[in-house]
Amino acid sequence: MIGQLTLEDYLQRYSETGPLALAVATAVDAITVAAIEIAELTGRGALSDKSGLATGRNSDGDLQRDLDVQADAIIRRCLGKVPIAALASEEMQEAEIGDREARICVAIDPLDGSSNIDINMTVGTIFSILPAPDDPSLAFGQCGTAQLAAGFVTYGPQTSLVLTLGDGVDIFTLDRAAGGFRLARRALRIPDTAEEFAINASNRRHWDPPVRAFIDECLAGVDGPASRDFNMRWIGSLVAEAYRILSRGGVFLYPSDARPGYGDGRLRLVYEAHPIAFIIEQAGGAASTGRERILDLAAHSLHQRVPLIMGSSGEVRRVEELHCDPLPAASVSAPLFAQRGFFRL
Ligand code: AHG
Ligand code: MN
Ligand code: MN
């Protein structure tokens, strides 16, 4: 099965389970066709005329790079042949209404981690597929639990699709010689406890006390409350962090912080946190704001941001505990490492 089953056959079998499944399978197939083209483009790096150079800012105020715009255009061209009631993208101010008779809506982050393009690090495409409500303009105000499917493609050493259709998480890797994706990993499960945490530690002074307390527990290692040592990773590419956590466990935090504009963190609910949360939960992990389950949230605006803590369920639950039952301020403000100089206040 591993290495034998093609994505095409996998989607064909799924599509035979009903008209809604056929609509989902058709959209996933179109996104993977786009992904092969995006993989080629990102793989050319500076050799392509579409570099990682910034061209402006997107609707969310983020730096927009040529490849962000190119990836968005490629996906929309490939999805253009698929009946979709509404399409939302990080690179588009408003959602586009399409075929009002269509059964599904799609939200995309065409290129995630794009600040990594010019340093040759793994980037990716994230997508979320939802049922089409009677009024397609309400499509992206649905709870994350409404999702029918979610996935992301990594453009790194491998071009791999991580996919959930609501019954577990499977990984398909692009067989470049054959020009198609083949099953590489089946039914992924995230360990309940983590050995690694991922956070942009340069923002420590801006974090809320519960996040500081959790990271200090990780840093205290085997001598601290967690009674085990942790390793740290921060790639700056959500898809790469998610792929690592699906492969070997861990916990990722992009919390809200005190920087202007980061009161709800950095990641967007509709086309980053919702799809990643669906995948992580389908693999036995958890995804939270620190106080609420991500999938229980419904966006009130398309580019709404949300704090995201996701990965091994034991660590996510500990972060929630610290939010709901904060440690006494003294124990958090007395930094574990001030005397060691690891984190100077
Ligand atoms: P995008 O490139 O789509 O804007 O996403 C980037 C996100 C996410 O991939 C990553 O985890 C995070 O931004 C990194 O943020 P910092 O640069 O603030 O560390
Ligand atoms: Mn992103
Ligand atoms: Mn993006």
Side-chain angles (χ1 to χ4, degrees), residues 18-43:
L20 191 55
L22 174 61
V24 169
T26 308
V28 172
D29 178 64
I31 290 168
T32 58
V33 169
I36 294 173
E37 193 174 334
I38 295 169
E40 176 57 32
L41 198 56
T42 53

Side-chain angles (χ1 to χ4, degrees), residues 222-241:
V222 69
D223 302 328
S227 308
R228 66 189 188 285
D229 290 334
F230 283 77
N231 195 8
M232 187 186 121
R233 287 284 183 273
W234 185 251
I235 304 173
S237 175
L238 178 59
V239 293
E241 317 276 8

Side-chain angles (χ1 to χ4, degrees), residues 90 109 112-113 268 272:
E90 178 188 358
D109 176 356
D112 173 70
R268 281 54 58 114
E272 289 175 313

Side-chain angles (χ1 to χ4, degrees), residues 128-131 140-150 269-270 273-275 277-278 293-299:
S128 167
I129 300 179
L130 293 143
F140 304 108
Q142 299 181 76
C143 272
T145 47
Q147 291 176 96
L148 301 166
L269 178 58
V270 171
H274 268 169
F278 189 17
R293 182 188 180 216
I294 291 285
L295 291 184
D296 288 341
L297 302 179

Side-chain angles (χ1 to χ4, degrees), residues 79 84-90 92-98 103-109 126-147 149 268-272 274-275 294 297-304:
L79 281 175
I84 288 174
L87 175 66
S89 166
E90 178 188 358
M92 292 193 295
Q93 170 87 29
E94 305 292 337
E96 269 179 0
I97 303 302
R103 294 174 184 274
I104 58 168
C105 300
V106 179
I108 57 171
D109 176 356
I126 308 173
F127 62 91
S128 167
I129 300 179
L130 293 143
D134 295 340
D135 176 356
S137 69
L138 304 177
F140 304 108
Q142 299 181 76
C143 272
T145 47
Q147 291 176 96
R268 281 54 58 114
L269 178 58
V270 171
Y271 42 80
E272 289 175 313
H274 268 169
I294 291 285
L297 302 179
H300 48 72
S301 66
L302 184 57
H303 301 287
Q304 170 184 334

Side-chain angles (χ1 to χ4, degrees), residues 2 4 9 53 72 76 143 150 154 168 178 191 200 204 208 240 273 286 297 299 305 334:
I2 296 296
Q4 302 307 314
D9 289 346
L53 291 182
D72 180 66
R76 284 199 278 144
C143 272
T154 57
N200 184 336
R204 185 181 191 280
D208 294 336
L297 302 179
R305 296 179 182 220

Side-chain angles (χ1 to χ4, degrees), residues 253-275:
L253 303 91
Y254 207 118
S256 57
D257 70 48
R259 288 175 293 165
Y262 283 79
D264 287 319
R266 174 196 167 92
L267 300 173
R268 281 54 58 114
L269 178 58
V270 171
Y271 42 80
E272 289 175 313
H274 268 169

